[in-house]
Amino acid sequence: MNVTLSGRTQHFRTVTYDAAQNFIHLINQRLLPHDFKIVPARDFRETAAAIREMVVRGAGAIGATAAYGLAQGACAFPGDNLKKFSAHVETVFHALKSARPTAVDPVNAMIRVRREMVRGKTVAERQSLALAAAEEFANEDVRHCEAIGRHGGKLIRPGSRILTHCNAGWLAFVDVGTATAPIYAAHAAGKGFHVWCDETRPRSQGATLTAWELAQQKISHQIIADNAAGHLMQRGKVDLVIVGSDRTLGRTGEVTNKIGTYTKAVMAARHRIPFYVAIPLSTIDWNLKSGFDIPIEERSENEVLGAWGRTKGEGKRTKTGQQKSSEQVYVRVANPSSRAYNPGFDVTPPELITGIITPLGIIKPKELWKRRQELGYSS
Amino acid sequence: MNVTLSGRTQHFRTVTYDAAQNFIHLINQRLLPHDFKIVPARDFRETAAAIREMVVRGAGAIGATAAYGLAQGACAFPGDNLKKFSAHVETVFHALKSARPTAVDPVNAMIRVRREMVRGKTVAERQSLALAAAEEFANEDVRHCEAIGRHGGKLIRPGSRILTHCNAGWLAFVDVGTATAPIYAAHAAGKGFHVWCDETRPRSQGATLTAWELAQQKISHQIIADNAAGHLMQRGKVDLVIVGSDRTLGRTGEVTNKIGTYTKAVMAARHRIPFYVAIPLSTIDWNLKSGFDIPIEERSENEVLGAWGRTKGEGKRTKTGQQKSSEQVYVRVANPSSRAYNPGFDVTPPELITGIITPLGIIKPKELWKRRQELGYSS
């Protein structure tokens, strides 16, 4: 999407490949929303470190980064010994996989690149096939998000007030995003509307990333405490809810997403407000038979017990005119001797969901299974 | 309630009067939960400043502070000229009233003190009547909270998991508190149970004040993000919800309380979890005819856009062994160019409320009006 830096507007993807240097360029998401910086990953080990340290985060974005990372590693191999090349590729694969051991996207992306690559008969052929496959993976991610935008954008009317939760924006993908795709499509179509960004405690992705994204596109928005969403619905100030999903059960239509999503869905249903979930097909889980089987990750207590932000004065220019670009500081908010419980996700049942916005169109959650063949189900 | 300082346990009220010096001693709530300090207000102007700067906060606590403050001001008057004394008392009254111009508790408390005081015929008599009335105001606040504890404590069973929102604890009153009163009563009765403290963004009173209170009483508790409460209910981990109220409509049974309360009530009803509201009678509004008539205060955007806390190292002992007692620092969490919307309260309809815990017993919200005479209604 477009980003305006010192008055100049330019288009960026979260991850791009620089063939001249065999570098991967990433938006350093650890500095957002306070600073926007592109950092190079100069070899596959730096790429793995960027994934591990969450310089890049979000399902689609880390998938594409791993795909490019595997190609980057392959292209760095000198000589034409195919056997040694294959061993090297496996080293790269495992380095990138172990950067986020529980994430499925990097592995799925790399499996796809490797499958294309092995069609080549020489090292050089395989290097070029790997690059082409990584590029196609990233482009497909963008095309799918754009398709979500075409289908979901129709739900937004001039004057709509849309509630979002967390960040399933372009920063989490290669471009465009999923929950944000309808918003960007409606904005491009010239519809004026307003977005309520749930701050999304404890990690505040709504207040930081989604708000930053919307501000860059000059889309009217305000951040609210998660506690305020129900009140806004009660007072008739929300027309539509759109969220993303980390995992959607193809058999039941249950949606796993950032903690708090279930509560927003219940409140929306009470107030008869349409509640939509935007997803890429890759996040559909065709195996699990019940939402209660989804493991709910328990995250660090520190997320709940405090907050990351910038104190006044930080990030200002220094006396020599240099821009100080510091990461955020952590402040302890809670009572020092108290502990927290921090489930990262919750499960929303299908009866609370108006529709699932997929690249293939809007589907009722309970009809996913019926349409499993066209949605990419493989038994 | 008891507070343990350097291993020594001692009983405190939020506000006490020191007759020897004509000082009011207050717990400095601005330093909590990181530091516990008692500060003296040495004359009525310092008492007004403490109310204004929120050294003391909470309905009952500022009411008692204003009552004592009026008596303190009266007692500082030299001589026996009754006319000059009365003019001086009016000065004190207005100084204390203007410290929190929209709060009703200080005014109601001072009217009571003044009504008692004028029964005296001399300055000395009036001074002593004022003190006695202030003392009685504070003691009555404690007795009412204790009565709430007796009635509400019966709702808590061994093993109960109780959800609370915000702080209607003893820090907000003179002692014991309202929403916390049943918890302290059940704890004193030796029942073991667990409390989930909603952090209560944007001001985090649950994570700071309620968690501090429970930790002092060694009551098992964990802080959760406001987003997590619905998930805990869905997974069967909440047995009971108890909250306070800033204003309860006697005619309709609607409850105004900290933003987010309405959402918890909806979630509790969905999961058939009893939802109780603990209130002192003084917060019943017998005039308003609809919750939609309650003005919802819009608070500072900064509350939503950031957080107050302590960075690592702050509050540690200095090299000379002195305890550094600093106030919290503010960090900006949100995207710098984004704005927020921050409604401070919401309204919960009576059909979501299992019962109102009052000093006179537990009452169905729709039965308040029927029982208005005994509940102190004056038309």
Side-chain angles (χ1 to χ4, degrees):
Chain A
M1 301 292 296
N2 286 340
V3 177
T4 304
L5 300 167
S6 326
R8 209 171 128 252
T9 301
Q10 207 185 327
H11 183 263
F12 289 91
R13 286 182 170 189
T14 53
V15 43
T16 46
Y17 177 72
D18 169 357
Q21 301 182 92
N22 196 29
F23 284 3
I24 295 169
H25 293 288
L26 298 165
I27 296 172
N28 185 346
Q29 300 197 29
R30 293 177 59 138
L31 301 180
L32 288 174
H34 302 284
D35 289 308
F36 182 86
K37 283 218 167 165
I38 305 288
V39 289
R42 289 163 296 188
D43 58 36
F44 77 88
R45 293 193 195 280
E46 286 192 8
T47 302
I51 293 172
R52 184 169 49 245
E53 291 158 14
M54 298 184 79
V55 168
V56 57
R57 37 64 61 193
I62 60 174
T65 303
Y68 279 127
L70 192 66
Q72 175 187 43
C75 290
F77 180 82
D80 54 10
N81 183 322
L82 202 58
K83 202 169 159 188
K84 282 188 182 163
F85 172 79
S86 298
H88 170 74
V89 166
E90 287 316 293
T91 305
V92 177
F93 190 103
H94 285 100
L96 290 162
K97 178 182 169 178
S98 64
R100 285 285 292 276
T102 59
V104 295
D105 297 271
V107 175
N108 289 341
M110 289 193 292
I111 287 173
R112 240 177 86 172
V113 170
R114 196 169 53 182
R115 200 170 51 210
E116 289 300 310
M117 178 171 28
V118 293
R119 291 172 42 226
K121 292 194 177 64
T122 64
V123 167
E125 266 180 44
R126 289 190 176 188
Q127 287 171 327
S128 119
L129 281 167
L131 267 186
E135 200 72 54
E136 171 53 18
F137 183 92
N139 289 338
E140 189 188 274
D141 184 85
V142 178
R143 285 197 308 272
H144 285 174
C145 289
E146 286 169 343
I148 289 170
R150 275 195 305 279
H151 299 299
K154 294 172 192 155
L155 302 170
I156 299 172
R157 301 208 176 88
S160 283
R161 292 146 311 167
I162 305 154
L163 178 77
T164 69
H165 190 66
C166 200
N167 177 260
W170 73 272
L171 290 168
F173 292 86
V174 177
D175 208 347
V176 183
T178 55
T180 51
I183 290 170
Y184 293 141
H187 185 63
K191 299 176 193 171
F193 53 87
H194 188 71
V195 180
W196 301 112
C197 295
D198 272 348
E199 70 169 320
T200 321
R201 284 281 296 163
R203 285 187 67 86
S204 306
Q205 295 94 331
T208 56
L209 303 178
T210 303
W212 179 86
E213 285 197 15
L214 297 176
Q216 285 302 325
Q217 306 313 316
K218 299 187 176 54
I219 291 172
S220 168
H221 70 284
Q222 275 167 299
I223 300 164
I224 56 169
D226 300 291
N227 280 321
H231 169 70
L232 288 174
M233 291 181 184
Q234 187 194 44
R235 298 283 161 131
K237 291 179 178 171
V238 179
D239 300 304
L240 178 65
V241 185
I242 309 179
V243 300
S245 169
D246 293 86
R247 193 197 307 215
T248 295
L249 299 202
R251 289 173 187 266
T252 66
E254 287 162 294
V255 163
T256 312
N257 192 41
K258 186 58 36 77
I259 190 79
T261 302
Y262 169 55
T263 296
K264 313 296 162 177
V266 170
M267 299 308 288
R270 177 179 168 90
H271 296 286
R272 300 174 193 282
I273 297 164
F275 185 95
Y276 287 91
V277 182
I279 61 164
L281 301 183
S282 62
T283 58
I284 303 179
D285 180 325
W286 295 108
N287 298 314
L288 286 185
K289 293 193 175 70
S290 159
F292 278 83
D293 296 338
I294 300 172
I296 300 295
E297 179 186 349
E298 244 181 75
R299 299 181 51 86
S300 158
E301 293 183 34
N302 280 340
E303 293 182 357
V304 174
L305 297 171
W308 285 264
R310 190 167 269 183
T311 56
K312 218 174 168 175
E314 273 187 279
K316 293 279 169 66
R317 280 176 198 285
T318 60
K319 276 182 187 166
T320 58
Q322 234 187 332
Q323 179 80 34
K324 248 176 78 185
S325 165
S326 59
E327 296 197 11
Q328 282 95 287
V329 297
Y330 177 76
V331 292
R332 171 85 180 199
V333 173
N335 175 49
S337 67
S338 294
R339 302 197 51 180
Y341 176 63
N342 186 16
F345 302 93
D346 61 25
V347 178
T348 301
E351 64 270 20
L352 300 176
I353 299 163
T354 312
I356 311 269
I357 314 172
T358 77
L360 301 179
I362 300 177
I363 300 174
K364 294 267 169 210
K366 290 206 169 163
E367 287 174 4
L368 290 173
W369 182 245
K370 215 184 295 172
R371 297 177 61 176
R372 62 191 178 277
Q373 297 305 340
E374 63 178 302
L375 293 170
Y377 167 73
S378 52
S379 58
Chain B
M1 300 293 293
N2 285 341
V3 177
T4 303
L5 300 167
S6 325
R8 209 169 129 254
T9 301
Q10 207 186 326
H11 184 263
F12 289 92
R13 286 182 170 190
T14 53
V15 45
T16 47
Y17 178 71
D18 169 358
Q21 301 182 93
N22 196 28
F23 284 3
I24 295 169
H25 293 288
L26 299 165
I27 296 171
N28 185 346
Q29 300 197 30
R30 293 177 59 138
L31 302 179
L32 288 175
H34 302 284
D35 290 308
F36 181 86
K37 284 218 167 166
I38 306 287
V39 289
R42 290 163 296 190
D43 58 37
F44 78 87
R45 293 193 195 281
E46 286 191 6
T47 302
I51 293 172
R52 184 169 51 246
E53 291 160 13
M54 299 183 78
V55 167
V56 58
R57 34 69 56 195
I62 60 174
T65 303
Y68 279 127
L70 192 66
Q72 175 187 42
C75 290
F77 181 81
D80 54 11
N81 183 322
L82 203 56
K83 202 170 159 190
K84 281 187 181 163
F85 172 78
S86 298
H88 170 74
V89 166
E90 288 316 292
T91 306
V92 177
F93 190 103
H94 286 99
L96 290 162
K97 179 183 170 177
S98 64
R100 285 284 293 276
T102 60
V104 295
D105 297 271
V107 175
N108 289 341
M110 289 192 292
I111 287 172
R112 242 176 83 173
V113 170
R114 195 168 53 181
R115 202 170 49 210
E116 289 300 309
M117 177 170 29
V118 293
R119 290 171 43 226
K121 293 195 175 64
T122 64
V123 167
E125 265 180 44
R126 290 191 176 188
Q127 287 171 328
S128 117
L129 281 167
L131 266 187
E135 201 72 55
E136 171 53 20
F137 183 91
N139 290 339
E140 188 188 275
D141 184 84
V142 178
R143 285 197 308 272
H144 284 175
C145 289
E146 286 169 343
I148 289 170
R150 275 196 304 280
H151 299 300
K154 293 173 194 157
L155 302 169
I156 298 172
R157 300 208 178 86
S160 283
R161 291 146 311 168
I162 305 155
L163 179 77
T164 69
H165 190 67
C166 200
N167 178 259
W170 72 272
L171 291 168
F173 293 86
V174 177
D175 208 347
V176 184
T178 55
T180 51
I183 290 170
Y184 294 141
H187 185 63
K191 299 176 194 173
F193 54 85
H194 188 72
V195 180
W196 301 112
C197 296
D198 272 348
E199 70 169 322
T200 320
R201 284 282 295 163
R203 285 186 68 84
S204 307
Q205 295 94 331
T208 56
L209 303 179
T210 303
W212 179 85
E213 285 197 16
L214 297 176
Q216 286 301 324
Q217 307 313 316
K218 299 186 175 55
I219 291 172
S220 168
H221 69 286
Q222 275 167 298
I223 300 163
I224 56 169
D226 299 292
N227 280 321
H231 169 68
L232 287 175
M233 291 182 185
Q234 187 194 43
R235 298 284 162 131
K237 292 179 178 170
V238 180
D239 301 304
L240 178 65
V241 185
I242 310 179
V243 300
S245 169
D246 292 85
R247 192 192 312 211
T248 295
L249 299 201
R251 288 172 187 267
T252 67
E254 288 163 294
V255 163
T256 312
N257 191 42
K258 186 58 36 74
I259 191 79
T261 302
Y262 168 55
T263 296
K264 313 296 162 176
V266 169
M267 299 308 288
R270 177 179 170 89
H271 296 285
R272 301 174 193 283
I273 297 164
F275 185 94
Y276 287 92
V277 182
I279 62 165
L281 301 182
S282 61
T283 58
I284 303 179
D285 180 325
W286 296 107
N287 297 314
L288 286 186
K289 294 195 176 68
S290 159
F292 278 84
D293 296 337
I294 300 172
I296 300 295
E297 180 186 348
E298 245 181 75
R299 298 182 51 85
S300 158
E301 294 183 35
N302 281 339
E303 293 183 355
V304 174
L305 298 171
W308 285 264
R310 190 167 267 183
T311 56
K312 219 174 167 174
E314 271 187 280
K316 292 279 169 64
R317 282 178 195 283
T318 61
K319 275 180 190 167
T320 58
Q322 235 187 331
Q323 179 79 32
K324 247 177 81 186
S325 165
S326 59
E327 296 197 12
Q328 282 95 288
V329 297
Y330 177 76
V331 292
R332 170 85 180 200
V333 173
N335 175 49
S337 68
S338 293
R339 302 197 52 182
Y341 176 63
N342 186 17
F345 301 94
D346 61 25
V347 178
T348 300
E351 64 270 19
L352 300 176
I353 299 163
T354 312
I356 311 268
I357 314 173
T358 77
L360 301 179
I362 301 176
I363 300 174
K364 294 266 167 211
K366 290 206 167 163
E367 288 173 5
L368 291 173
W369 183 245
K370 215 184 294 173
R371 298 178 60 177
R372 61 191 178 277
Q373 297 305 338
E374 62 177 304
L375 293 170
Y377 167 73
S378 52
S379 58

